[in-house]
Amino acid sequence: MSIVYNCRHCGNEIGKLENQIIDTSMLGFDHLSMEEKKEMIQYQSNGDIHVKTICESCEETLGQHPHYHELDFFIQ
């Protein structure tokens, strides 16, 4: 089982926790609403968990261009 973090905007892999049994509450998943969990967390058939987050580059871009928050995807 792996937990893979990908940027929701550019798709780049940010990080990966491999072959570890982790209590998801340690990762803060228990602080998310059901809607946030549906939006951010995808459970794969092989047991992996993919988490959509934001990378530093995209976060910086959003900071410089706040109107991009209105868009689902700002990187084409």
Side-chain angles (χ1 to χ4, degrees):
M1 175 182 103
S2 296
I3 300 175
V4 182
Y5 290 86
N6 291 305
C7 180
R8 71 174 57 251
H9 299 287
C10 67
N12 286 335
E13 185 176 301
I14 298 168
K16 182 185 245 184
L17 302 171
E18 294 190 58
N19 298 323
Q20 298 180 20
I21 297 175
I22 298 174
D23 180 1
T24 55
S25 66
M26 292 176 58
L27 300 175
F29 291 177
D30 58 328
H31 294 284
L32 300 173
S33 69
M34 289 305 292
E35 187 172 316
E36 290 169 328
K37 288 178 184 178
K38 287 179 185 177
E39 183 182 316
M40 295 177 64
I41 302 171
Q42 297 175 346
Y43 296 91
Q44 306 298 309
S45 59
N46 65 354
D48 287 357
I49 300 172
H50 288 206
V51 181
K52 292 181 185 177
T53 187
I54 186 169
C55 69
E56 289 180 16
S57 178
C58 289
E59 182 176 25
E60 184 178 316
T61 300
L62 285 168
Q64 294 171 353
H65 306 279
H67 61 281
Y68 285 179
H69 283 280
E70 299 170 6
L71 308 172
D72 289 332
F73 300 97
F74 60 87
I75 296 177
Q76 301 290 322

